Amino acid sequence: MPEDSRLSASKAARLVGNTGPQPLRRPVETPEQHEQPERRSGPGADGVWSDIELAELTTTDPETWAEFIRRRMSGDYQVDDFGFDPELTDRVLLGLVRPLYRSWFRVEVTGLENVPDDSGALIVANHSGVIAWDSLMTQVALHDEHPAHRHLRMLGANLVFSTPFLGELARKAGHTLACHPDAERLLTAGELVGVWPEGFKGIGKPFAQRYKLQRFGRGGFVTAALRTGAPIIPTAIVGAEETYPMIANSALLARVIGLPYFPITPTFPWLGPLGMVPLPSKWHIHFGEPIATDGYPEASADDPMVVFNLTDEVREQIQQTLYRLLVARPSAFG
Amino acid sequence: MKRTILVTGVSRYLGGRMAALLAADPAAEVIGVDVVAPQNPIPGVAFVRADIRNPVIAKVMGEARVDTVVHMGVIATPKQAGGRSTMKEINVIGTMQLLAACQRTPALKHLVVKSTAAVYGAGPRDPALFTEDMEPRHRPSSGWAKDSVEVEAYVRGFSRRRSDVTVATLRLANVIGPAVRTGMTEYLTLPVVPTVLGFDPRLQFVHEDDALAAIGRAVEVRAHGTVNVAGAGVVPLSQVLRILGRPGIAVPAGLVPYLGRAIASRGLADLSGEMIRLLTYGRALDTSAAAALLGFSPRWTSLAAVEDLAAARTDRSASPVGGPVREVRSA
């Protein structure tokens, strides 16, 4: 990635201003995109996914499914200590969001070579878009497009695990509570762990602040990475901000329902459930160059200054990548 | 060296089998204590009918020169005791009396306490696996779990005062198996099993044989410390019910306590406070410390323990007698 791509904040603000809803356009290939040396993946020109395993998972063969259902009903499967059900995730849960990934958001993925094949790493990304579709799309991207078909194990807020259905699904899909013991346990086991340090501040921010990273929590993820020596992979997601342009936040309704925010968008809550359909923005997920954490002295995880500096470094790298991707993108819906 | 071991709670299934197992060692003399006599005499065990709630226990211990106490007298459900206040008295006051007696017995060298994983509580802010040094994030507020937290506190106090005594506290996951009857097995074998709508808790089990083996190891190696004991892995409640072939019915969280009361009042199963929290949020333990402290790993995984319960249920329903049978058998 070119070093001179760092932009001033004022230029970035102008760029961000250009990303509002625009008429749908045919995708335009920009020269910048061709210059990027990163590994690209996804369906070829004919739209065919070459991968055999993936084809097996998305099969419509009734016998395979009958066998699958029979086994599920008799309880013949295994989940891990976190409640992760890989079979259910691969066959059903990912299958439910895959159409959104491929046809609706047409996610483009770059930088997959920065994600290790078989060791632990911490994926840290920007969070946006009212409903956390961005985390799900990242999970699909790493599973479907990474050569090692990696499962992303995300760390979620405790609100997720106290909410009926949501908590249950999150556990089955491999996610767990954002806390030190779980993060370190997963990283030590060589898993790919996903964190969205902006949390609700990120997905619940108004449209006017799109692509401006919010505060990065308390840097807990950096401590976990330092303790386990796992690299941090700063990840930028472009496109999620335009799925639900949040005009306002009704603090009163949020309090009544017990949610951190209550979004008002051009379509929600005016159109009811229809208003929950995300706008078909064009997405780009870029996995950035890993930041190593294994070179620090022993007690660095307990040194707040090291943790703050590293947190800032990760945040800055994501912010700069966001600006760079925004410059390269022809339009929000292209 | 000849050991004299006192086991509390021998009239119930696990306590009785534990006493019998310990008595199988010719170098051990075993005294069994409980408020009521066991249904069948336990071979090799001298039974003393004594209430651990009164000081008689100290006399028994002094006279017999007991060097090891295995405390299994903490009961889990009000039904077993005939009411919640009696249960609390047996659990907490009983433990205090027992520890007071232990403190006054100079010959005593080892104490093994059967505790429960319920001391960790259960809730949405829990880590995936609890290690022994973690504080509960949702402190248990009722029933057996709360009693056990208090029991452990008294045991820690005792350990400070008698630093010459090794104290092993075993936090057992829910014990299940072909013969044992616990609040959990009663719940799982209801004709229709109520579950909490929208939640599929991760559960962990320890097979009855492994529970006994773990306590036996703690006595044998004179272990000192607190360890989790659970079968490897976790099993979601939905999977447990599928393996057991039991129909589940999802009940909205707000209605579960009322349903629980209705079920408890009919004496079917104990579905109250902490049990409901467990069935909502689940709980799992990190069991790596047990291997180091006890030199023991459970033979049955959590999943295998459920399968064994399922196999036993199938056999039983096929037999002409049918229904759950409570049996105290010797090993």
Side-chain angles (χ1 to χ4, degrees), chain A:
Chain A
M1 124 186 22
E3 268 309 302
D4 58 359
S5 68
R6 303 212 155 194
L7 304 166
S8 71
S10 61
K11 174 134 185 250
R14 266 182 284 124
L15 284 166
V16 171
N18 289 338
T19 56
Q22 290 176 13
L24 285 168
R25 263 197 269 156
R26 299 276 311 149
V28 182
E29 286 280 303
T30 61
E32 288 86 3
Q33 282 174 323
H34 285 300
E35 281 164 20
Q36 290 168 358
E38 294 125 356
R39 181 178 350 170
R40 285 167 174 278
S41 59
D46 53 354
V48 176
W49 293 67
S50 57
D51 212 68
I52 295 162
E53 291 133 301
L54 209 59
E56 203 275 323
L57 285 178
T58 52
T59 180
T60 49
D61 172 34
E63 256 177 54
T64 314
W65 279 96
E67 157 66 14
F68 170 71
I69 291 164
R70 189 202 59 74
R71 232 159 16 78
R72 299 296 302 187
M73 292 318 289
S74 62
D76 181 14
Y77 52 91
Q78 204 133 25
V79 305
D80 80 356
D81 286 344
F82 294 83
F84 175 40
D85 191 332
E87 191 185 48
L88 186 75
T89 303
D90 285 353
R91 275 203 191 277
V92 181
L93 301 182
L94 287 178
L96 291 174
V97 289
R98 200 169 275 131
L100 209 56
Y101 177 91
R102 291 191 195 166
S103 313
W104 197 255
F105 297 135
R106 298 144 292 148
V107 183
E108 182 186 336
V109 181
T110 51
L112 278 169
E113 71 280 357
N114 292 321
V115 181
D117 284 349
D118 52 4
S119 58
L122 197 62
I123 305 275
V124 181
N126 58 309
H127 214 5
S128 57
V130 182
I131 295 177
W133 288 119
D134 49 0
S135 52
L136 292 177
M137 293 304 122
T138 311
Q139 188 180 10
V140 177
L142 287 164
H143 180 266
D144 286 7
E145 315 223 12
H146 192 279
H149 301 300
R150 299 217 59 177
H151 283 291
L152 181 64
R153 314 292 298 268
M154 294 182 236
L155 305 180
N158 60 43
L159 180 68
V160 170
F161 299 96
S162 57
T163 307
F165 301 105
L166 183 61
E168 179 182 346
L169 280 173
R171 282 251 171 246
K172 291 190 172 172
H175 314 314
T176 191
L177 180 76
C179 62
H180 278 295
D182 287 16
E184 285 161 31
R185 191 178 287 277
L186 284 166
L187 287 172
T188 310
E191 297 285 351
L192 211 50
V193 176
V195 287
W196 277 260
E198 294 169 273
F200 294 118
K201 299 186 295 295
I203 45 177
K205 67 179 181 289
F207 190 57
Q209 291 185 29
R210 59 198 177 277
Y211 298 114
K212 288 197 189 105
L213 284 185
Q214 304 296 300
R215 187 167 61 79
F216 258 27
R218 279 165 274 183
F221 67 94
V222 170
T223 314
L226 280 168
R227 288 223 177 103
T228 55
I232 297 173
I233 301 172
T235 300
I237 303 169
V238 164
E241 295 276 19
E242 288 83 8
T243 52
Y244 304 97
M246 186 162 141
I247 303 165
N249 172 16
S250 170
L252 179 72
L253 279 172
R255 238 198 358 256
V256 170
I257 305 176
L259 292 175
Y261 54 90
F262 186 90
I264 311 285
T265 77
T267 54
F268 186 83
W270 327 114
L271 300 182
L274 204 64
M276 290 169 76
V277 176
L279 297 179
S281 52
K282 162 84 179 152
W283 286 35
H284 185 165
I285 301 177
H286 177 76
F287 298 98
E289 258 177 64
I291 298 173
T293 61
D294 51 0
Y296 289 85
E298 193 76 358
S300 297
D302 301 315
D303 183 346
M305 200 47 82
V306 174
V307 174
F308 282 137
N309 286 343
L310 206 48
T311 308
D312 276 349
E313 187 186 340
V314 175
R315 191 173 179 279
E316 191 57 23
Q317 192 170 329
I318 296 172
Q319 184 70 75
Q320 292 304 328
T321 313
L322 280 175
Y323 290 151
R324 187 173 59 81
L325 295 181
L326 285 169
V327 178
R329 122 177 134 160
S331 93
F333 297 92

